[in-house]
Amino acid sequence: MFSVIIPTLWKANFFFDTLIRLNSIEIIDEIIIISNAPNPHTVFPAKVKILQMSENTGVNPAWNLGKNIARNEDLLILNDDIILD
């Protein structure tokens, strides 16, 4: 199983669609979102875990934070502006 780690500033219009697609992939059992800005959503797909940061931590520190709390050894490190087909 994989843990997905994605830092975000919530600027990519399609990011929520990406979360829905990731949620439907069977080998992914958690999606860790490092929210570096106020979160515009209140409802998320089941596998999503939100870590709301008080300030923008940047990308690399966010990935490291996600790695440290992930429950799986296999990780998928993404940016929030990746479009999945």
Side-chain angles (χ1 to χ4, degrees):
M1 298 301 267
F2 284 83
S3 295
V4 179
I5 303 166
I6 311 171
T8 187
L9 291 171
W10 302 103
K11 292 186 178 185
N13 294 335
F14 53 83
F15 180 51
F16 199 80
D17 293 334
T18 300
L19 294 179
I20 292 169
R21 288 189 183 106
L22 289 169
N23 191 70
S24 70
I25 298 172
E26 291 182 27
I27 62 171
I28 293 173
D29 74 341
E30 75 174 335
I31 304 164
I32 301 169
I33 304 299
I34 312 299
S35 180
N36 283 317
N39 179 352
H41 302 285
T42 57
V43 177
F44 290 91
K47 298 176 186 179
V48 172
K49 178 179 186 179
I50 302 287
L51 297 176
Q52 182 63 55
M53 308 310 292
S54 60
E55 60 184 22
N56 186 351
T57 62
V59 174
N60 288 342
W63 285 330
N64 288 332
L65 174 61
K67 176 194 110 14
N68 290 335
I69 66 164
R71 65 175 160 229
N72 299 299
E73 287 188 27
D74 295 321
L75 304 175
L76 179 58
I77 307 292
L78 292 178
N79 287 327
D80 62 352
D81 58 354
I82 301 288
I83 297 176
L84 299 175
D85 187 14

